[in-house]
Amino acid sequence: MLDNHEIRSQFPFFSHSDFIYLDNGATTQKPQCVIDALCHFYNFNNANVHRGVSQLASNTTQMYEQVRSKLATHCAVKPDQIVWTKGATEAINLVVSSIDKHIEPNDIIVVSALEHHANLVPWQELCKRTGAELRVLPINQQGVLNITASLNMISSLKPKLVAVTHASNALGNILPIEQLIDAAKNVNAITLVDGAQAMQHLKPNLDTLNSDFYVLSAHKMFGPTGVGALIAKPHSLALLDTYQTGGEMIEQVSFSSSQYRQGNARFEAGTPNIAGVIGFGAALDFLNSEAMNLQRSYEESLYQYTIEQLKKIDGVTLYGDLENNIGTVSFNYKDEHHLDVATLLDQSGIVVRSGNHCTQPLMNLLGVAGTIRVSLSCYNSYEDIDKFIFALKQAIELLD
Ligand SMILES: Cc1ncc(COP(=O)(O)O)c(C=O)c1O
Protein backbone atom coordinates (compact mmCIF):
# COMPACT_ATOMS: atom_id res chain seq x y z
CA MET A 1 0.00 0.00 0.00
CA LEU A 2 1.33 3.45 -0.93
CA ASP A 3 2.27 5.55 2.10
CA ASN A 4 -0.17 8.37 1.54
CA HIS A 5 1.09 10.41 4.52
CA GLU A 6 4.64 10.30 3.26
CA ILE A 7 3.55 11.34 -0.26
CA ARG A 8 1.31 14.10 1.03
CA SER A 9 4.08 15.48 3.24
CA GLN A 10 6.10 16.20 0.09
CA PHE A 11 3.47 18.73 -1.04
CA PRO A 12 3.68 22.07 0.83
CA PHE A 13 0.20 23.01 -0.39
CA PHE A 14 -1.33 20.60 2.12
CA SER A 15 0.48 22.05 5.11
CA HIS A 16 -0.45 25.61 4.11
CA SER A 17 -4.07 25.04 3.19
CA ASP A 18 -7.19 23.37 4.56
CA PHE A 19 -8.71 22.81 1.13
CA ILE A 20 -9.63 19.25 0.23
CA TYR A 21 -8.17 19.29 -3.26
CA LEU A 22 -10.09 16.99 -5.59
CA ASP A 23 -9.44 18.77 -8.89
CA ASN A 24 -6.36 16.95 -10.09
CA GLY A 25 -7.74 16.58 -13.60
CA ALA A 26 -7.41 20.35 -13.93
CA THR A 27 -3.91 20.49 -12.53
CA THR A 28 -1.93 18.71 -9.83
CA GLN A 29 -0.29 20.27 -6.79
CA LYS A 30 3.50 20.50 -6.91
CA PRO A 31 5.88 18.60 -4.63
CA GLN A 32 8.61 20.53 -2.81
CA CYS A 33 11.27 19.07 -5.13
CA VAL A 34 9.60 20.77 -8.14
CA ILE A 35 9.32 24.12 -6.35
CA ASP A 36 12.96 23.80 -5.21
CA ALA A 37 14.12 22.97 -8.75
CA LEU A 38 12.42 26.10 -10.10
CA CYS A 39 13.94 28.32 -7.38
CA HIS A 40 17.35 26.69 -7.71
CA PHE A 41 17.33 27.29 -11.45
CA TYR A 42 16.61 31.02 -11.09
CA ASN A 43 18.98 31.39 -8.11
CA PHE A 44 21.96 29.61 -9.60
CA ASN A 45 21.59 28.43 -13.21
CA ASN A 46 19.69 31.08 -15.12
CA ALA A 47 21.05 31.22 -18.68
CA ASN A 48 19.66 30.60 -22.12
CA VAL A 49 20.07 27.16 -23.72
CA HIS A 50 21.69 25.96 -26.95
CA ARG A 51 23.53 29.18 -27.75
CA GLY A 52 26.13 30.47 -25.27
CA VAL A 53 29.53 28.82 -25.02
CA SER A 54 30.02 29.96 -21.43
CA GLN A 55 30.27 27.32 -18.70
CA LEU A 56 27.06 28.65 -17.24
CA ALA A 57 25.13 28.33 -20.51
CA SER A 58 26.61 24.89 -21.24
CA ASN A 59 25.65 23.62 -17.78
CA THR A 60 22.13 24.93 -18.18
CA THR A 61 21.82 23.36 -21.64
CA GLN A 62 23.00 20.09 -20.16
CA MET A 63 20.46 20.25 -17.31
CA TYR A 64 17.70 21.09 -19.79
CA GLU A 65 18.62 18.26 -22.16
CA GLN A 66 18.88 15.80 -19.27
CA VAL A 67 15.16 16.32 -18.68
CA ARG A 68 14.46 15.38 -22.29
CA SER A 69 16.35 12.14 -21.65
CA LYS A 70 14.47 11.62 -18.39
CA LEU A 71 11.09 12.01 -20.09
CA ALA A 72 12.29 9.71 -22.89
CA THR A 73 13.22 7.02 -20.35
CA HIS A 74 9.92 7.55 -18.53
CA CYS A 75 7.97 6.83 -21.75
CA ALA A 76 10.40 4.25 -23.20
CA VAL A 77 11.26 6.40 -26.24
CA LYS A 78 14.44 8.15 -27.47
CA PRO A 79 15.25 11.77 -26.51
CA ASP A 80 15.08 12.90 -30.13
CA GLN A 81 11.42 11.81 -30.21
CA ILE A 82 10.49 14.61 -27.82
CA VAL A 83 9.48 18.11 -28.90
CA TRP A 84 8.92 20.54 -26.03
CA THR A 85 5.72 22.56 -26.25
CA LYS A 86 3.84 24.70 -23.77
CA GLY A 87 1.30 21.95 -23.15
CA ALA A 88 -0.90 19.27 -24.67
CA THR A 89 -3.02 21.89 -26.45
CA GLU A 90 0.00 23.32 -28.22
CA ALA A 91 1.31 19.86 -29.07
CA ILE A 92 -2.00 18.97 -30.75
CA ASN A 93 -2.08 22.32 -32.54
CA LEU A 94 1.48 21.76 -33.72
CA VAL A 95 0.43 18.53 -35.45
CA VAL A 96 -2.83 19.96 -36.79
CA SER A 97 -1.13 23.06 -38.19
CA SER A 98 1.60 21.11 -39.92
CA ILE A 99 -0.14 18.17 -41.50
CA ASP A 100 -2.33 19.80 -44.18
CA LYS A 101 -0.37 18.35 -47.08
CA HIS A 102 -1.40 14.81 -46.05
CA ILE A 103 -5.12 15.62 -45.86
CA GLU A 104 -7.27 15.86 -48.97
CA PRO A 105 -10.89 16.87 -49.54
CA ASN A 106 -13.27 14.09 -48.39
CA ASP A 107 -10.60 12.38 -46.31
CA ILE A 108 -11.94 11.23 -42.96
CA ILE A 109 -10.57 12.28 -39.61
CA VAL A 110 -11.78 10.27 -36.62
CA VAL A 111 -11.98 11.38 -33.00
CA SER A 112 -13.91 9.84 -30.10
CA ALA A 113 -16.99 11.28 -28.44
CA LEU A 114 -14.92 11.65 -25.26
CA GLU A 115 -12.44 14.22 -26.54
CA HIS A 116 -11.47 17.37 -24.66
CA HIS A 117 -12.08 20.45 -26.83
CA ALA A 118 -8.28 20.58 -27.26
CA ASN A 119 -8.43 17.35 -29.26
CA LEU A 120 -11.57 18.28 -31.18
CA VAL A 121 -11.66 21.96 -32.15
CA PRO A 122 -8.23 21.95 -33.88
CA TRP A 123 -9.36 18.96 -36.05
CA GLN A 124 -12.56 20.84 -36.93
CA GLU A 125 -10.36 23.69 -38.13
CA LEU A 126 -8.24 21.27 -40.19
CA CYS A 127 -11.43 19.89 -41.78
CA LYS A 128 -12.56 23.44 -42.64
CA ARG A 129 -9.20 24.18 -44.28
CA THR A 130 -8.85 20.94 -46.23
CA GLY A 131 -12.41 19.79 -46.96
CA ALA A 132 -11.92 16.65 -44.85
CA GLU A 133 -14.78 15.20 -42.82
CA LEU A 134 -14.78 14.65 -39.06
CA ARG A 135 -16.36 11.43 -37.74
CA VAL A 136 -16.91 10.48 -34.10
CA LEU A 137 -16.42 7.09 -32.40
CA PRO A 138 -19.61 6.29 -30.46
CA ILE A 139 -20.24 5.87 -26.73
CA ASN A 140 -23.12 4.29 -24.82
CA GLN A 141 -25.51 6.07 -22.42
CA GLN A 142 -23.06 5.89 -19.49
CA GLY A 143 -20.34 7.46 -21.60
CA VAL A 144 -18.36 4.27 -22.30
CA LEU A 145 -16.76 3.91 -25.74
CA ASN A 146 -18.47 1.27 -27.89
CA ILE A 147 -15.28 -0.54 -28.85
CA THR A 148 -16.83 -2.96 -31.34
CA ALA A 149 -18.59 -0.18 -33.23
CA SER A 150 -15.44 1.96 -33.02
CA LEU A 151 -13.18 -0.73 -34.47
CA ASN A 152 -15.72 -1.43 -37.22
CA MET A 153 -15.94 2.27 -37.98
CA ILE A 154 -12.18 2.60 -38.30
CA SER A 155 -11.82 -0.43 -40.55
CA SER A 156 -14.75 0.48 -42.80
CA LEU A 157 -14.21 4.26 -43.04
CA LYS A 158 -10.45 3.93 -43.57
CA PRO A 159 -9.74 7.35 -42.07
CA LYS A 160 -6.64 9.35 -42.96
CA LEU A 161 -6.12 10.25 -39.33
CA VAL A 162 -7.34 8.98 -35.93
CA ALA A 163 -6.98 11.21 -32.85
CA VAL A 164 -8.17 9.75 -29.54
CA THR A 165 -7.71 10.44 -25.89
CA HIS A 166 -5.94 7.90 -23.71
CA ALA A 167 -8.19 8.79 -20.78
CA SER A 168 -11.24 11.03 -20.59
CA ASN A 169 -10.81 14.19 -18.56
CA ALA A 170 -14.55 14.44 -17.95
CA LEU A 171 -15.30 10.84 -16.94
CA GLY A 172 -11.91 9.24 -16.27
CA ASN A 173 -12.47 6.34 -18.71
CA ILE A 174 -9.29 4.65 -19.89
CA LEU A 175 -9.72 3.97 -23.60
CA PRO A 176 -8.42 0.75 -25.21
CA ILE A 177 -5.98 2.80 -27.23
CA GLU A 178 -3.79 -0.15 -28.25
CA GLN A 179 -6.79 -1.68 -30.06
CA LEU A 180 -7.80 1.65 -31.58
CA ILE A 181 -4.28 2.45 -32.76
CA ASP A 182 -3.79 -1.05 -34.19
CA ALA A 183 -7.07 -0.75 -36.09
CA ALA A 184 -6.03 2.68 -37.36
CA LYS A 185 -2.62 1.41 -38.42
CA ASN A 186 -4.26 -1.52 -40.27
CA VAL A 187 -5.82 1.06 -42.58
CA ASN A 188 -2.62 3.18 -42.70
CA ALA A 189 -4.08 6.09 -40.72
CA ILE A 190 -1.88 8.66 -39.03
CA THR A 191 -2.57 8.50 -35.28
CA LEU A 192 -2.44 10.85 -32.33
CA VAL A 193 -3.13 9.99 -28.69
CA ASP A 194 -3.99 12.71 -26.19
CA GLY A 195 -2.22 11.63 -23.02
CA ALA A 196 -2.90 14.78 -20.99
CA GLN A 197 -4.89 12.88 -18.34
CA ALA A 198 -3.38 9.42 -18.64
CA MET A 199 0.29 10.29 -18.17
CA GLN A 200 0.00 11.08 -14.49
CA HIS A 201 -1.61 7.77 -13.62
CA LEU A 202 -0.67 5.14 -16.20
CA LYS A 203 2.99 5.62 -17.18
CA PRO A 204 2.36 4.21 -20.67
CA ASN A 205 5.11 2.56 -22.69
CA LEU A 206 5.13 4.61 -25.88
CA ASP A 207 7.62 2.34 -27.57
CA THR A 208 5.14 -0.51 -27.77
CA LEU A 209 2.20 1.78 -28.53
CA ASN A 210 2.34 2.16 -32.26
CA SER A 211 0.99 5.73 -32.40
CA ASP A 212 2.62 8.42 -34.53
CA PHE A 213 2.01 11.13 -31.96
CA TYR A 214 1.39 11.26 -28.21
CA VAL A 215 0.90 14.52 -26.30
CA LEU A 216 1.13 15.49 -22.64
CA SER A 217 1.10 18.44 -20.23
CA ALA A 218 3.63 18.64 -17.37
CA HIS A 219 1.31 20.52 -15.02
CA LYS A 220 -0.99 17.48 -14.84
CA MET A 221 2.01 15.34 -13.80
CA PHE A 222 3.13 17.39 -10.74
CA GLY A 223 5.25 19.64 -12.94
CA PRO A 224 5.04 23.37 -13.70
CA THR A 225 2.52 25.00 -16.03
CA GLY A 226 3.64 26.08 -19.50
CA VAL A 227 5.49 22.87 -20.40
CA GLY A 228 4.31 19.93 -22.43
CA ALA A 229 5.55 17.58 -25.08
CA LEU A 230 4.81 16.13 -28.44
CA ILE A 231 6.30 12.64 -28.57
CA ALA A 232 6.74 11.24 -32.05
CA LYS A 233 8.78 8.68 -33.92
CA PRO A 234 11.30 10.28 -36.36
CA HIS A 235 9.33 9.13 -39.44
CA SER A 236 6.16 10.61 -37.90
CA LEU A 237 7.84 13.97 -37.22
CA ALA A 238 9.01 13.93 -40.83
CA LEU A 239 5.33 13.97 -41.90
CA LEU A 240 4.98 17.46 -40.46
CA ASP A 241 5.71 20.77 -42.12
CA THR A 242 7.59 23.35 -40.11
CA TYR A 243 5.43 24.85 -37.37
CA GLN A 244 7.13 28.04 -36.15
CA THR A 245 10.29 29.61 -37.51
CA GLY A 246 12.94 31.82 -35.95
CA GLY A 247 16.01 31.23 -33.80
CA GLU A 248 17.06 27.79 -32.55
CA MET A 249 15.38 25.74 -35.28
CA ILE A 250 17.68 26.92 -38.08
CA GLU A 251 20.84 25.44 -39.53
CA GLN A 252 21.83 28.29 -41.86
CA VAL A 253 20.24 31.64 -42.65
CA SER A 254 20.86 34.20 -45.41
CA PHE A 255 18.74 37.19 -46.42
CA SER A 256 17.26 35.18 -49.25
CA SER A 257 16.61 31.78 -47.65
CA SER A 258 17.11 29.56 -44.63
CA GLN A 259 17.86 25.93 -43.94
CA TYR A 260 16.17 24.28 -41.00
CA ARG A 261 17.51 21.78 -38.52
CA GLN A 262 16.38 18.15 -38.79
CA GLY A 263 14.27 16.07 -36.42
CA ASN A 264 12.76 17.43 -33.24
CA ALA A 265 14.97 20.58 -33.31
CA ARG A 266 13.01 21.81 -36.36
CA PHE A 267 9.96 22.27 -34.11
CA GLU A 268 11.57 24.15 -31.23
CA ALA A 269 11.83 27.79 -32.35
CA GLY A 270 12.80 30.48 -29.85
CA THR A 271 13.72 30.39 -26.18
CA PRO A 272 11.86 27.55 -24.48
CA ASN A 273 10.44 27.40 -20.96
CA ILE A 274 13.80 26.41 -19.49
CA ALA A 275 12.85 26.71 -15.82
CA GLY A 276 9.62 24.82 -16.52
CA VAL A 277 11.43 21.95 -18.22
CA ILE A 278 13.90 21.71 -15.34
CA GLY A 279 11.02 21.75 -12.86
CA PHE A 280 9.38 19.00 -14.89
CA GLY A 281 12.55 16.95 -14.48
CA ALA A 282 12.04 17.05 -10.71
CA ALA A 283 8.39 16.03 -11.20
CA LEU A 284 9.52 13.02 -13.23
CA ASP A 285 11.94 12.06 -10.44
CA PHE A 286 9.03 12.28 -8.02
CA LEU A 287 6.77 10.17 -10.27
CA ASN A 288 9.48 7.53 -10.55
CA SER A 289 10.46 7.55 -6.89
CA GLU A 290 10.09 4.42 -4.79
CA ALA A 291 7.39 6.11 -2.73
CA MET A 292 5.22 6.18 -5.88
CA ASN A 293 5.67 2.49 -6.80
CA LEU A 294 2.16 1.61 -5.74
CA GLN A 295 0.53 4.77 -7.06
CA ARG A 296 -1.84 3.06 -9.48
CA SER A 297 -3.19 0.44 -7.07
CA TYR A 298 -3.62 3.07 -4.34
CA GLU A 299 -5.53 5.39 -6.67
CA GLU A 300 -7.68 2.48 -7.88
CA SER A 301 -8.67 1.57 -4.31
CA LEU A 302 -9.39 5.20 -3.44
CA TYR A 303 -11.50 5.52 -6.59
CA GLN A 304 -13.50 2.36 -5.74
CA TYR A 305 -14.04 3.69 -2.21
CA THR A 306 -15.28 7.02 -3.61
CA ILE A 307 -17.80 5.44 -5.96
CA GLU A 308 -18.99 3.03 -3.25
CA GLN A 309 -19.69 5.99 -0.96
CA LEU A 310 -21.47 7.89 -3.74
CA LYS A 311 -23.58 4.86 -4.70
CA LYS A 312 -24.96 4.82 -1.14
CA ILE A 313 -26.52 8.24 -1.67
CA ASP A 314 -29.99 8.08 -3.26
CA GLY A 315 -30.32 10.34 -6.28
CA VAL A 316 -26.65 10.29 -7.32
CA THR A 317 -26.03 9.40 -10.98
CA LEU A 318 -22.50 8.32 -11.89
CA TYR A 319 -21.17 8.62 -15.43
CA GLY A 320 -18.38 6.91 -17.30
CA ASP A 321 -16.55 3.61 -17.21
CA LEU A 322 -16.43 2.63 -13.56
CA GLU A 323 -14.20 -0.39 -14.27
CA ASN A 324 -11.39 1.16 -16.34
CA ASN A 325 -10.76 4.53 -14.85
CA ILE A 326 -7.84 6.78 -13.94
CA GLY A 327 -9.64 7.84 -10.73
CA THR A 328 -12.02 10.53 -11.93
CA VAL A 329 -15.62 10.44 -10.73
CA SER A 330 -18.25 12.41 -12.63
CA PHE A 331 -21.71 12.65 -11.11
CA ASN A 332 -24.91 14.60 -10.66
CA TYR A 333 -27.42 14.70 -7.85
CA LYS A 334 -31.05 14.34 -9.03
CA ASP A 335 -31.89 17.31 -11.24
CA GLU A 336 -29.86 19.77 -9.19
CA HIS A 337 -27.62 22.04 -11.20
CA HIS A 338 -23.99 20.91 -10.99
CA LEU A 339 -22.95 24.47 -10.16
CA ASP A 340 -25.24 24.62 -7.10
CA VAL A 341 -23.80 21.39 -5.72
CA ALA A 342 -20.22 22.48 -6.46
CA THR A 343 -20.77 25.90 -4.87
CA LEU A 344 -22.03 24.30 -1.66
CA LEU A 345 -19.07 21.90 -1.67
CA ASP A 346 -16.77 24.85 -2.18
CA GLN A 347 -18.25 26.55 0.89
CA SER A 348 -17.09 23.48 2.85
CA GLY A 349 -13.58 23.79 1.40
CA ILE A 350 -13.99 20.91 -1.06
CA VAL A 351 -12.35 21.78 -4.38
CA VAL A 352 -14.06 19.95 -7.26
CA ARG A 353 -14.70 20.95 -10.84
CA SER A 354 -18.20 21.44 -12.17
CA GLY A 355 -19.45 22.19 -15.65
CA ASN A 356 -18.87 20.65 -19.05
CA HIS A 357 -15.14 20.03 -18.46
CA CYS A 358 -14.27 21.30 -21.96
CA THR A 359 -16.31 18.42 -23.40
CA GLN A 360 -19.55 20.10 -24.44
CA PRO A 361 -20.46 17.55 -27.16
CA LEU A 362 -19.95 14.71 -24.66
CA MET A 363 -22.24 16.40 -22.13
CA ASN A 364 -24.87 16.79 -24.88
CA LEU A 365 -24.66 13.07 -25.64
CA LEU A 366 -25.08 12.27 -21.94
CA GLY A 367 -28.07 14.62 -21.87
CA VAL A 368 -26.70 16.85 -19.12
CA ALA A 369 -25.53 20.46 -18.95
CA GLY A 370 -22.54 19.36 -16.93
CA THR A 371 -21.40 17.20 -14.03
CA ILE A 372 -19.54 17.51 -10.76
CA ARG A 373 -16.07 16.01 -11.16
CA VAL A 374 -13.88 14.59 -8.40
CA SER A 375 -10.46 13.77 -9.85
CA LEU A 376 -8.13 11.91 -7.51
CA SER A 377 -4.39 11.74 -7.15
CA CYS A 378 -1.81 9.93 -5.06
CA TYR A 379 -1.85 12.48 -2.23
CA ASN A 380 -5.61 12.29 -1.68
CA SER A 381 -6.58 10.28 1.39
CA TYR A 382 -9.59 8.26 2.49
CA GLU A 383 -10.19 11.05 4.98
CA ASP A 384 -10.45 13.51 2.06
CA ILE A 385 -13.20 11.34 0.59
CA ASP A 386 -15.03 11.08 3.93
CA LYS A 387 -14.94 14.88 4.23
CA PHE A 388 -16.18 15.26 0.67
CA ILE A 389 -19.06 12.80 1.24
CA PHE A 390 -19.96 14.55 4.53
CA ALA A 391 -20.03 17.94 2.76
CA LEU A 392 -22.04 16.48 -0.14
CA LYS A 393 -24.67 15.11 2.29
CA GLN A 394 -24.88 18.55 3.93
CA ALA A 395 -25.30 20.16 0.50
CA ILE A 396 -28.04 17.68 -0.36
CA GLU A 397 -29.93 18.50 2.86
CA LEU A 398 -29.97 22.14 1.82
CA LEU A 399 -30.99 21.37 -1.76
CA ASP A 400 -33.71 18.76 -1.06
C1 LIG B 1 -7.71 15.16 -22.06
C2 LIG B 1 -7.14 16.54 -22.15
N1 LIG B 1 -6.58 16.91 -23.29
C3 LIG B 1 -6.01 18.13 -23.45
C4 LIG B 1 -6.02 19.02 -22.42
C5 LIG B 1 -5.36 20.35 -22.61
O1 LIG B 1 -4.26 20.45 -21.75
P1 LIG B 1 -3.50 21.84 -21.55
O2 LIG B 1 -4.57 22.83 -21.16
O3 LIG B 1 -2.54 21.57 -20.45
O4 LIG B 1 -2.86 22.18 -22.83
C6 LIG B 1 -6.63 18.70 -21.21
C7 LIG B 1 -6.70 19.67 -20.11
O5 LIG B 1 -7.48 19.54 -19.19
C8 LIG B 1 -7.18 17.40 -21.06
O6 LIG B 1 -7.74 17.02 -19.93
Side-chain angles (χ1 to χ4, degrees), residues 25-26 87-90 92 116 118 165 167 169 194 196-197 217 219-220:
T89 303
E90 194 192 27
I92 296 168
H116 187 283
T165 192
N169 65 302
D194 176 357
Q197 291 293 330
S217 279
H219 72 98
K220 294 182 195 290

mmCIF file of all heavy atoms in Angstrom, residues 25-26 87-90 92 116 118 165 167 169 194 196-197 217 219-220, ligand 1:
data_model
loop_
_atom_site.group_PDB
_atom_site.id
_atom_site.type_symbol
_atom_site.label_atom_id
_atom_site.label_comp_id
_atom_site.label_asym_id
_atom_site.label_seq_id
_atom_site.Cartn_x
_atom_site.Cartn_y
_atom_site.Cartn_z
ATOM 1 N N GLY A 25 -7.610 16.622 -12.147
ATOM 2 C CA GLY A 25 -7.742 16.577 -13.601
ATOM 3 C C GLY A 25 -7.431 17.932 -14.206
ATOM 4 O O GLY A 25 -6.972 18.036 -15.344
ATOM 5 N N ALA A 26 -7.697 18.997 -13.443
ATOM 6 C CA ALA A 26 -7.415 20.352 -13.935
ATOM 7 C C ALA A 26 -5.919 20.616 -13.858
ATOM 8 O O ALA A 26 -5.293 21.011 -14.837
ATOM 9 C CB ALA A 26 -8.188 21.386 -13.124
ATOM 10 N N GLY A 87 2.316 22.812 -23.752
ATOM 11 C CA GLY A 87 1.304 21.955 -23.149
ATOM 12 C C GLY A 87 0.728 21.010 -24.186
ATOM 13 O O GLY A 87 1.151 21.011 -25.354
ATOM 14 N N ALA A 88 -0.258 20.219 -23.750
ATOM 15 C CA ALA A 88 -0.902 19.267 -24.668
ATOM 16 C C ALA A 88 -1.630 20.010 -25.783
ATOM 17 O O ALA A 88 -1.590 19.595 -26.943
ATOM 18 C CB ALA A 88 -1.882 18.386 -23.895
ATOM 19 N N THR A 89 -2.279 21.129 -25.439
ATOM 20 C CA THR A 89 -3.023 21.888 -26.452
ATOM 21 C C THR A 89 -2.077 22.328 -27.564
ATOM 22 O O THR A 89 -2.388 22.190 -28.754
ATOM 23 C CB THR A 89 -3.687 23.134 -25.818
ATOM 24 O OG1 THR A 89 -4.522 22.695 -24.745
ATOM 25 C CG2 THR A 89 -4.500 23.911 -26.829
ATOM 26 N N GLU A 90 -0.920 22.867 -27.178
ATOM 27 C CA GLU A 90 0.000 23.324 -28.219
ATOM 28 C C GLU A 90 0.555 22.152 -29.025
ATOM 29 O O GLU A 90 0.751 22.256 -30.242
ATOM 30 C CB GLU A 90 1.153 24.155 -27.651
ATOM 31 C CG GLU A 90 1.851 24.867 -28.801
ATOM 32 C CD GLU A 90 3.177 25.517 -28.468
ATOM 33 O OE1 GLU A 90 3.873 25.072 -27.541
ATOM 34 O OE2 GLU A 90 3.534 26.474 -29.166
ATOM 35 N N ILE A 92 -0.979 19.383 -29.768
ATOM 36 C CA ILE A 92 -1.999 18.967 -30.754
ATOM 37 C C ILE A 92 -2.047 19.994 -31.891
ATOM 38 O O ILE A 92 -2.071 19.635 -33.074
ATOM 39 C CB ILE A 92 -3.385 18.805 -30.088
ATOM 40 C CG1 ILE A 92 -3.348 17.664 -29.062
ATOM 41 C CG2 ILE A 92 -4.481 18.546 -31.141
ATOM 42 C CD1 ILE A 92 -4.547 17.592 -28.133
ATOM 43 N N HIS A 116 -11.569 15.990 -25.171
ATOM 44 C CA HIS A 116 -11.468 17.365 -24.656
ATOM 45 C C HIS A 116 -11.514 18.295 -25.875
ATOM 46 O O HIS A 116 -11.062 17.910 -26.965
ATOM 47 C CB HIS A 116 -10.117 17.480 -23.945
ATOM 48 C CG HIS A 116 -9.871 18.753 -23.203
ATOM 49 N ND1 HIS A 116 -9.537 19.925 -23.839
ATOM 50 C CD2 HIS A 116 -9.887 19.054 -21.878
ATOM 51 C CE1 HIS A 116 -9.347 20.886 -22.947
ATOM 52 N NE2 HIS A 116 -9.564 20.378 -21.743
ATOM 53 N N ALA A 118 -9.641 20.424 -26.705
ATOM 54 C CA ALA A 118 -8.281 20.577 -27.257
ATOM 55 C C ALA A 118 -7.980 19.532 -28.327
ATOM 56 O O ALA A 118 -7.123 19.749 -29.185
ATOM 57 C CB ALA A 118 -7.242 20.479 -26.141
ATOM 58 N N THR A 165 -8.294 10.215 -27.213
ATOM 59 C CA THR A 165 -7.714 10.442 -25.895
ATOM 60 C C THR A 165 -7.360 9.107 -25.249
ATOM 61 O O THR A 165 -8.044 8.101 -25.464
ATOM 62 C CB THR A 165 -8.698 11.235 -25.006
ATOM 63 O OG1 THR A 165 -7.988 11.674 -23.849
ATOM 64 C CG2 THR A 165 -9.913 10.424 -24.582
ATOM 65 N N ALA A 167 -7.229 8.852 -21.898
ATOM 66 C CA ALA A 167 -8.189 8.792 -20.780
ATOM 67 C C ALA A 167 -9.031 10.061 -20.816
ATOM 68 O O ALA A 167 -8.521 11.144 -21.095
ATOM 69 C CB ALA A 167 -7.444 8.685 -19.458
ATOM 70 N N ASN A 169 -10.933 13.236 -19.670
ATOM 71 C CA ASN A 169 -10.806 14.189 -18.563
ATOM 72 C C ASN A 169 -12.126 14.366 -17.834
ATOM 73 O O ASN A 169 -12.159 14.619 -16.639
ATOM 74 C CB ASN A 169 -10.300 15.551 -19.070
ATOM 75 C CG ASN A 169 -11.290 16.210 -19.997
ATOM 76 O OD1 ASN A 169 -11.654 15.635 -21.018
ATOM 77 N ND2 ASN A 169 -11.731 17.401 -19.655
ATOM 78 N N ASP A 194 -4.038 11.616 -27.156
ATOM 79 C CA ASP A 194 -3.991 12.706 -26.195
ATOM 80 C C ASP A 194 -3.785 12.105 -24.800
ATOM 81 O O ASP A 194 -4.696 11.530 -24.208
ATOM 82 C CB ASP A 194 -5.322 13.480 -26.276
ATOM 83 C CG ASP A 194 -5.406 14.578 -25.222
ATOM 84 O OD1 ASP A 194 -4.480 14.701 -24.408
ATOM 85 O OD2 ASP A 194 -6.411 15.313 -25.227
ATOM 86 N N ALA A 196 -2.934 13.745 -22.041
ATOM 87 C CA ALA A 196 -2.904 14.782 -20.991
ATOM 88 C C ALA A 196 -3.356 14.231 -19.638
ATOM 89 O O ALA A 196 -2.751 14.539 -18.606
ATOM 90 C CB ALA A 196 -3.767 15.976 -21.405
ATOM 91 N N GLN A 197 -4.397 13.410 -19.627
ATOM 92 C CA GLN A 197 -4.889 12.879 -18.345
ATOM 93 C C GLN A 197 -4.194 11.582 -17.952
ATOM 94 O O GLN A 197 -3.972 11.319 -16.772
ATOM 95 C CB GLN A 197 -6.401 12.625 -18.424
ATOM 96 C CG GLN A 197 -7.238 13.883 -18.521
ATOM 97 C CD GLN A 197 -7.192 14.730 -17.260
ATOM 98 O OE1 GLN A 197 -7.021 14.230 -16.144
ATOM 99 N NE2 GLN A 197 -7.342 16.031 -17.428
ATOM 100 N N SER A 217 0.889 17.155 -20.919
ATOM 101 C CA SER A 217 1.102 18.440 -20.226
ATOM 102 C C SER A 217 1.780 18.168 -18.891
ATOM 103 O O SER A 217 1.281 17.358 -18.091
ATOM 104 C CB SER A 217 -0.248 19.112 -19.920
ATOM 105 O OG SER A 217 -0.744 19.773 -21.046
ATOM 106 N N HIS A 219 1.984 20.039 -16.239
ATOM 107 C CA HIS A 219 1.305 20.518 -15.020
ATOM 108 C C HIS A 219 0.279 19.519 -14.488
ATOM 109 O O HIS A 219 -0.165 19.640 -13.353
ATOM 110 C CB HIS A 219 0.648 21.888 -15.266
ATOM 111 C CG HIS A 219 -0.576 21.842 -16.131
ATOM 112 N ND1 HIS A 219 -1.838 21.827 -15.599
ATOM 113 C CD2 HIS A 219 -0.733 21.804 -17.475
ATOM 114 C CE1 HIS A 219 -2.729 21.799 -16.598
ATOM 115 N NE2 HIS A 219 -2.075 21.784 -17.739
ATOM 116 N N LYS A 220 -0.079 18.526 -15.317
ATOM 117 C CA LYS A 220 -0.994 17.484 -14.837
ATOM 118 C C LYS A 220 -0.205 16.281 -14.313
ATOM 119 O O LYS A 220 -0.751 15.234 -14.018
ATOM 120 C CB LYS A 220 -1.931 17.049 -15.962
ATOM 121 C CG LYS A 220 -2.903 18.160 -16.402
ATOM 122 C CD LYS A 220 -3.836 17.665 -17.479
ATOM 123 C CE LYS A 220 -4.562 18.769 -18.212
ATOM 124 N NZ LYS A 220 -5.569 19.467 -17.436
HETATM 125 C C1 LIG B 1 -7.715 15.159 -22.056
HETATM 126 C C2 LIG B 1 -7.135 16.536 -22.153
HETATM 127 N N1 LIG B 1 -6.576 16.914 -23.295
HETATM 128 C C3 LIG B 1 -6.013 18.127 -23.449
HETATM 129 C C4 LIG B 1 -6.021 19.025 -22.420
HETATM 130 C C5 LIG B 1 -5.356 20.354 -22.607
HETATM 131 O O1 LIG B 1 -4.261 20.446 -21.753
HETATM 132 P P1 LIG B 1 -3.505 21.843 -21.549
HETATM 133 O O2 LIG B 1 -4.567 22.832 -21.162
HETATM 134 O O3 LIG B 1 -2.539 21.572 -20.446
HETATM 135 O O4 LIG B 1 -2.864 22.179 -22.834
HETATM 136 C C6 LIG B 1 -6.625 18.696 -21.211
HETATM 137 C C7 LIG B 1 -6.701 19.670 -20.110
HETATM 138 O O5 LIG B 1 -7.484 19.537 -19.192
HETATM 139 C C8 LIG B 1 -7.182 17.403 -21.059
HETATM 140 O O6 LIG B 1 -7.738 17.022 -19.928
#
